[in-house]
């Protein structure tokens, strides 16, 4: 498999420049199509979207109209109050401060950063410094860190397993540094069984915190790691770059976890995502909107909104839909209710956790229809909309969080149902045949 990946990467690099430019322009054309039809994901039951409501307010100076929204200094509950950090969040670094993204088809740097509300001025600075950023490739990883006021602090781009480029903010621009790795890559199988927590058991087998984090992410849609039992077994195939006898960096190729007599698998495809043994996607799709009908957006997502009175940043972490009191509010995806209560600012609100990375919040409702701990399916009613808490008119305030960071609910790329098809699926199934026999469980433990 590595040979295939490397061969493809080399083939790209060896292309004459006009060809590379052409490939780059294809991405731009794809993006143009995506802009023209702004949503990549169309749940079949949803009507087509209204396009004029999705503009991201980039000037940061937007003054909120007092109608059907919240007062600008709304003290909404912090998500930390909603999700007490569990052992996994504590022990696996990068869960909250670094944001990771794997490039997929049609992505460009601007389409990726736009959904996180990152300033387009920063983006043009980045591209000025490094034009190669216009040519992201599927499967590459991008990660970034934001400042407290939501500006880009640092961006890292993993071009290949050998090269990582980092862009650090210096004033209004960025400084580029590049790192080349020259170790030898080898595959290693690590097996263990659960005693105590998964994180501590995985550490005992020699897995690093980052590696454990990638395992948890890969299996998040199948497995709640807090509910594993003592004696559950796991086997992990890592590709590691060994330099001076030490693992410099690594990539998870596949994982098998046996819990309650059942085997769960997640195996990496060439697009950098994880699929099950048959090539099906592991995440169930999300709906774009938490309601059946469409309603006007009365206030957009804006992480750098300024309070015109105090001059301080008062982020609007969600999107407001003006809607009549009593409108059913739906969970956008499968998940578990972690909060359903009344609070001062948010009124009656619900927080739902979907897998480990995604969380959605629904505020100002008149009536709650779910309880904490309850499992919900996509499309289930979580409450009836209202005007409770600090609200200046009947509306629903809706938030989407990815890796503990609020993102623009109208722009974010949400998990899709589709699995692999055609040639990608055939390649994947060939890989599965190689990977699965290596994922043996240790019977003696
Ligand atoms: Zn709002």
């Amino acid at each position: 498999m590595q040979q295939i990946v490397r061969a493809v990467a080399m083939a790209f690099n060896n292309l004459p420049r006009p060809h590379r430019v052409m490939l780059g322009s294809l991405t731009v054309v794809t993006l143009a199509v995506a802009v023209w039809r702004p949503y990549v994901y169309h749940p079949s039951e949803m009507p087509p979207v209204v396009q004029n409501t999705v503009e991201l307010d980039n000037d940061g100076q937007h003054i909120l109209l007092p109608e059907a929204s919240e007062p600008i200094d709304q003290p909404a509950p912090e998500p930390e109050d909603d999700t007490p950090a569990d052992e996994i969040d504590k022990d696996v670094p990068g869960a909250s401060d670094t944001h990771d993204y794997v490039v997929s088809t049609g992505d460009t740097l601007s389409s990726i950063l736009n959904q996180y509300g990152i300033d387009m001025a920063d983006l043009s600075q980045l591209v000025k410094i490094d034009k190669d950023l216009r040519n992201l490739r599927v499967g590459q990883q991008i990660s970034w860190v934001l400042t407290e006021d939501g500006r880009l602090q640092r961006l890292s781009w993993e071009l290949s397993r050998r090269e990582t480029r980092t862009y650090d903010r210096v004033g209004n621009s960025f400084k580029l540094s590049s790192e080349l790795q020259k170790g030898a890559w080898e595959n290693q199988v690590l097996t263990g069984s659960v005693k105590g927590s998964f994180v501590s058991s995985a550490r005992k087998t020699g897995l690093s915190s980052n590696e454990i984090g990638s395992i948890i992410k890969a299996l998040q849609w199948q497995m709640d790691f807090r509910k594993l039992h003592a004696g559950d077994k796991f086997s992990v195939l890592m590709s590691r770059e060994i330099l001076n006898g030490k693992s410099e960096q690594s990539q998870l190729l596949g994982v098998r976890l046996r819990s309650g007599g059942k085997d769960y698998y997640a195996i990496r495809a060439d697009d950098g995502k994880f699929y099950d043994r048959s090539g099906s996607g592991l995440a169930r799709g999300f709906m774009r909107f938490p309601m059946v009908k469409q309603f006007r957006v009365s206030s957009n997502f804006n992480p750098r909104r300024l309070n015109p009175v105090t001059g301080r940043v008062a982020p609007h972490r969600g999107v407001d839909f003006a809607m009549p009191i009593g409108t059913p509010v739906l969970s956008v995806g499968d998940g578990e209710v972690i909060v359903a209560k009344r609070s001062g600012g948010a009124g009656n609100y619900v927080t739902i956790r979907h897998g480990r990375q995604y969380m959605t919040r629904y505020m100002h409702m008149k009536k709650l229809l779910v309880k904490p701990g309850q499992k919900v399916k996509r499309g289930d009613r979580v409450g009836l909309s209202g005007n409770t808490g600090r609200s200046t008119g009947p509306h629903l305030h809706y938030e989407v969080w990815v890796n503990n960071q609020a993102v623009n609910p109208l722009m974010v790329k949400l998990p899709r149902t589709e699995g692999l098809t055609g040639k990608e699926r055939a390649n994947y199934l060939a890989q599965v045949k190689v990977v699965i026999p290596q994922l043996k469980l240790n019977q003696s433990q």
Side-chain angles (χ1 to χ4, degrees):
M1 184 199 98
Q2 287 172 61
Q3 277 92 340
I4 298 172
V5 174
R6 233 172 269 162
V8 170
M10 275 175 62
F12 185 93
N13 285 331
N14 292 337
L15 279 178
R17 191 176 146 73
H19 288 209
R20 270 193 271 174
V21 170
M22 195 189 74
L23 280 179
S25 343
L26 282 180
T27 314
V28 173
V29 172
T30 314
L31 175 67
V33 173
V35 167
W36 178 57
R37 295 179 60 219
Y39 302 122
V40 178
Y41 176 65
H42 283 275
S44 55
E45 67 268 32
M46 298 297 289
V49 294
V50 177
Q51 300 192 6
N52 62 4
T53 58
V54 301
E55 284 302 311
L56 176 63
D57 180 16
N58 273 328
D59 61 9
Q61 306 291 322
H62 180 69
I63 293 169
L64 188 62
L65 296 172
E67 154 253 9
S69 189
E70 303 90 25
I72 203 154
D73 56 347
Q74 184 208 216
E78 290 293 318
E80 290 79 35
D81 303 341
D82 289 4
T83 45
D86 60 26
E87 180 234 11
I88 289 169
D89 294 325
K90 263 195 316 229
D91 288 0
V92 178
S96 59
D97 44 357
T98 304
H99 202 102
D100 299 322
Y101 190 96
V102 177
V103 177
S104 60
T105 316
D107 279 339
T108 61
L109 189 63
S110 72
S111 74
I112 296 165
L113 297 185
N114 208 352
Q115 59 184 293
Y116 293 89
I118 288 166
D119 201 334
M120 288 300 109
D122 287 344
L123 182 83
S124 43
Q125 285 298 325
L126 288 168
V127 174
K128 220 164 148 187
I129 292 162
D130 187 354
K131 289 192 174 54
D132 292 348
L133 280 169
R134 291 184 196 276
N135 300 312
L136 301 185
R137 275 175 279 141
V138 170
Q140 289 178 334
Q141 183 161 316
I142 293 183
S143 49
W144 62 90
V145 181
L146 299 181
T147 61
E148 263 182 16
D149 60 350
R151 297 169 82 207
L152 191 62
Q153 176 66 47
R154 155 184 279 197
L155 179 89
S156 294
W157 176 28
E158 212 180 287
L159 285 86
S160 65
R161 297 201 301 193
R162 290 191 162 248
E163 184 180 7
T164 301
R165 293 185 193 169
T166 304
Y167 311 83
D168 283 295
R169 173 178 291 282
V170 182
N172 283 326
S173 188
F174 294 88
K175 190 174 149 276
L176 165 65
S177 47
S178 175
E179 201 185 318
L180 280 171
Q181 299 284 346
K182 287 199 186 72
W185 285 86
E186 57 182 62
N187 287 355
Q188 298 181 351
V189 178
L190 301 105
T191 58
S193 60
V194 176
K195 265 181 223 120
S197 76
F198 175 73
V199 173
S200 62
S201 316
R203 274 223 175 98
K204 274 185 208 129
T205 69
L207 288 157
S208 72
S209 293
N210 284 333
E211 290 169 345
I212 295 169
S214 61
I215 292 165
I216 290 166
K217 269 189 196 166
L219 280 168
Q220 62 171 326
W221 300 104
Q222 308 183 78
M223 183 55 58
D224 184 341
F225 280 83
R226 292 163 299 181
K227 293 183 181 151
L228 291 180
H229 301 289
D232 286 348
K233 293 183 193 313
F234 56 90
S235 178
V236 178
L237 178 62
M238 298 294 318
S239 174
R240 284 173 164 170
E241 187 190 40
I242 308 297
L243 197 62
N244 303 326
K246 257 180 62 196
S247 170
E248 286 296 316
Q249 51 175 337
S250 60
Q251 193 171 67
L252 174 65
L253 299 181
V255 53
R256 170 187 183 185
L257 182 65
R258 175 174 283 180
S259 178
K262 222 182 134 196
D263 281 318
Y264 301 86
Y265 290 91
I267 292 157
R268 185 185 187 102
D270 289 344
D271 64 3
K273 292 188 189 133
F274 288 85
Y275 297 87
D276 69 6
R277 298 170 72 176
S278 62
S280 301
L282 296 173
R284 271 200 61 188
F286 279 43
M287 303 192 301
R288 177 60 73 183
F289 299 106
M291 60 263 176
V292 176
K293 276 193 269 172
Q294 282 179 56
F295 296 97
R296 189 171 55 83
V297 171
S298 53
S299 180
N300 259 314
F301 172 81
N302 184 352
R304 290 178 306 280
R305 182 175 65 175
L306 288 185
N307 182 324
V309 179
T310 62
R312 293 173 65 158
V313 175
H316 189 233
R317 289 166 167 158
V319 62
D320 293 337
F321 298 102
M323 62 174 72
I325 289 177
T327 306
V329 175
L330 316 177
S331 173
V332 293
D334 295 357
E336 182 178 343
V337 177
I338 52 175
V339 179
K341 68 173 185 193
R342 189 174 188 112
S343 92
N348 293 314
Y349 82 103
V350 167
T351 302
I352 298 173
R353 183 157 169 157
H354 314 272
R356 288 207 64 81
Q357 286 160 282
Y358 294 86
M359 188 173 88
T360 54
R361 307 208 297 168
Y362 313 79
M363 299 182 184
H364 309 303
M365 288 188 282
K366 177 184 164 208
K367 189 169 194 243
L368 301 178
L369 300 173
V370 290
K371 293 197 161 53
Q374 190 176 330
K375 296 258 194 274
V376 289
K377 292 274 172 208
R378 179 179 69 188
D380 282 355
R381 291 179 174 206
V382 300
L384 300 176
S385 74
N387 190 22
T388 58
R390 295 193 65 196
S391 170
T392 54
H395 78 286
L396 174 73
H397 172 100
Y398 168 56
E399 295 178 0
V400 179
W401 292 69
V402 184
N403 293 338
N404 299 318
Q405 192 187 322
V407 298
N408 186 343
L410 301 179
M411 311 274 277
V412 62
K413 210 162 181 181
L414 294 167
R416 295 193 274 170
T417 34
E418 292 98 80
L420 295 165
T421 53
K423 203 174 144 225
E424 280 81 26
R425 181 159 186 268
N427 287 344
Y428 177 78
L429 294 178
Q431 268 161 232
V432 166
K433 275 200 186 141
V434 178
V435 171
I436 284 195
Q438 301 183 59
L439 295 173
K440 289 200 180 74
L441 299 170
N442 191 341
Q443 297 306 330
S444 64
Q445 279 173 318

